């Protein structure tokens, strides 16, 4: 069964460093998303991406964040200068369409710890 | 704007007894509603979804949910809990022009032997 894969599963980084979280969406999907879940809190929407551009982003997704689909298979989330409060589980998702009745398929997440 | 509220952060049931996980939503548009499950160290897996067809939706692993517009609810049920059902469950709403998927806070289901 096709699945979304994320690497690494765990990432520890020092405050101020750049990190790149990687995702391989399901191959025929067209819409891509990043969500995050701070420990003990809700899963929060960060950004959606379609046709090689951001289609929507939340207020969390500030200038420190960027996304890219560098090679047609990977979908990356970059945090330029990490802060302690960026520590969270980051989930990548993809969907075939952007319609509201289409489910998103999620990866297993990358746990980011900023120290 | 839409929102979703999961009324219980933790639910404990004995193995073999029924499961009820509660979810209420708010939406200005006709919503699509989903339940996702997250097992430890695993990604989010879709259990079932409601998309304006039948109001009683059957999902995987014996779970089902009923969309009740009058109560703005989409509670998840299972007749008989199994130890493998222990996980975190998320109710999710998607609606409106912005199409964002909005998650509830999650309910952790504990199964007692």
């Amino acid at each position: 069964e096709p699945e979304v894969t994320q690497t690494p599963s765990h990432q520890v980084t020092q405050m101020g460093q750049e990190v790149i979280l990687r995702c391989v969406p399901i191959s025929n999907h067209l819409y891509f998303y990043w969500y995050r879940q701070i420990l003990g809190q809700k899963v929060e929407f960060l950004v959606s991406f379609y046709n090689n551009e951001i289609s929507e982003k939340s207020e969390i997704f500030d200038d420190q964040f960027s996304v890219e689909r560098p090679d047609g298979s990977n979908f990356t989330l970059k945090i330029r200068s990490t802060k302690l409060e960026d520590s969270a589980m980051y989930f990548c998702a993809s969907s075939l369409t952007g319609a509201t009745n289409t489910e998103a398929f999620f990866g297993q997440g990358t746990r980011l710890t900023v120290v | 704007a839409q929102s979703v509220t999961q009324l219980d952060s933790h639910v404990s049931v004995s193995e073999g007894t029924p499961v009820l996980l509660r979810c209420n939503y708010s939406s200005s548009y006709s919503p699509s509603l989903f339940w996702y499950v997250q097992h430890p160290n695993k990604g989010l897996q879709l259990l079932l979804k409601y998309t304006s067809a039948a109001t009683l939706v059957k999902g995987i692993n014996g779970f089902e949910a009923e969309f009740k517009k009058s109560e703005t609810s989409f509670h998840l049920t299972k007749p008989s809990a199994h130890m493998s059902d222990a996980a975190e469950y998320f109710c999710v709403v998607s609606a409106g022009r912005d199409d964002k998927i909005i998650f509830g806070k999650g309910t952790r289901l504990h199964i007692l032997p």
Side-chain angles (χ1 to χ4, degrees):
Chain A
E1 187 178 322
E3 60 181 13
V4 175
T5 56
Q6 290 184 242
T7 54
S9 55
H10 294 91
Q11 173 92 47
V12 180
T13 189
Q14 287 199 319
M15 193 169 54
Q17 294 296 305
E18 175 184 284
V19 291
I20 297 176
L21 308 183
R22 301 181 193 280
C23 170
V24 179
I26 294 173
S27 61
N28 63 335
H29 284 186
L30 301 175
Y31 291 78
F32 314 108
Y33 313 85
W34 282 101
Y35 286 77
R36 79 171 185 191
Q37 184 183 26
I38 294 172
L39 190 64
Q41 298 187 24
K42 296 177 79 155
V43 177
E44 302 170 291
F45 169 77
L46 290 177
V47 66
S48 59
F49 190 87
Y50 169 71
N51 199 26
N52 281 320
E53 61 183 26
I54 291 173
S55 50
E56 189 171 4
K57 60 184 180 179
S58 72
E59 60 205 20
I60 302 167
F61 195 87
D62 61 22
D63 291 343
Q64 291 299 310
F65 291 89
S66 62
V67 288
E68 198 177 30
R69 191 155 159 79
D71 56 13
S73 62
N74 289 284
F75 178 52
T76 61
L77 174 70
K78 183 193 289 187
I79 309 175
R80 255 179 277 283
S81 177
T82 50
K83 304 188 283 286
L84 294 176
E85 53 264 38
D86 294 327
S87 295
M89 180 75 94
Y90 288 81
F91 291 104
C92 172
S94 68
S95 63
L96 187 57
T97 78
T100 57
N101 60 0
T102 303
E103 70 264 30
F105 291 78
F106 286 81
Q108 80 279 18
T110 293
R111 182 168 296 286
L112 176 65
T113 303
V114 181
V115 296
Chain B
Q2 58 262 21
S3 66
V4 59
T5 302
Q6 290 183 246
L7 296 153
D8 306 295
S9 58
H10 292 266
V11 169
S12 294
V13 301
S14 297
E15 191 176 18
T17 65
V19 175
L20 170 65
L21 305 184
R22 298 183 292 167
C23 172
N24 287 91
Y25 71 92
S26 169
S27 176
S28 306
Y29 300 88
S30 294
S32 293
L33 293 155
F34 308 82
W35 276 98
Y36 283 86
V37 61
Q38 184 184 19
H39 287 94
N41 300 314
K42 301 281 189 183
L44 295 156
Q45 181 186 20
L46 180 70
L47 274 180
L48 49 79
K49 66 177 182 179
Y50 165 77
T51 58
S52 77
T55 56
L56 182 63
V57 181
K58 293 188 185 299
I60 62 172
N61 301 334
F63 284 94
E64 60 183 42
E66 186 171 7
F67 174 70
K68 291 187 177 180
K69 187 175 180 179
S70 61
E71 299 176 11
T72 61
S73 69
F74 189 58
H75 301 333
L76 182 70
T77 60
K78 181 173 180 176
S80 177
H82 191 272
M83 293 302 290
S84 61
D85 295 328
E88 184 100 20
Y89 291 79
F90 294 93
C91 182
V92 175
V93 64
S94 177
R97 293 171 58 192
D98 59 10
D99 294 342
K100 275 203 300 287
I101 301 170
I102 304 295
F103 279 73
K105 280 195 154 188
T107 298
R108 184 164 294 279
L109 177 63
H110 304 271
I111 310 297
L112 308 171

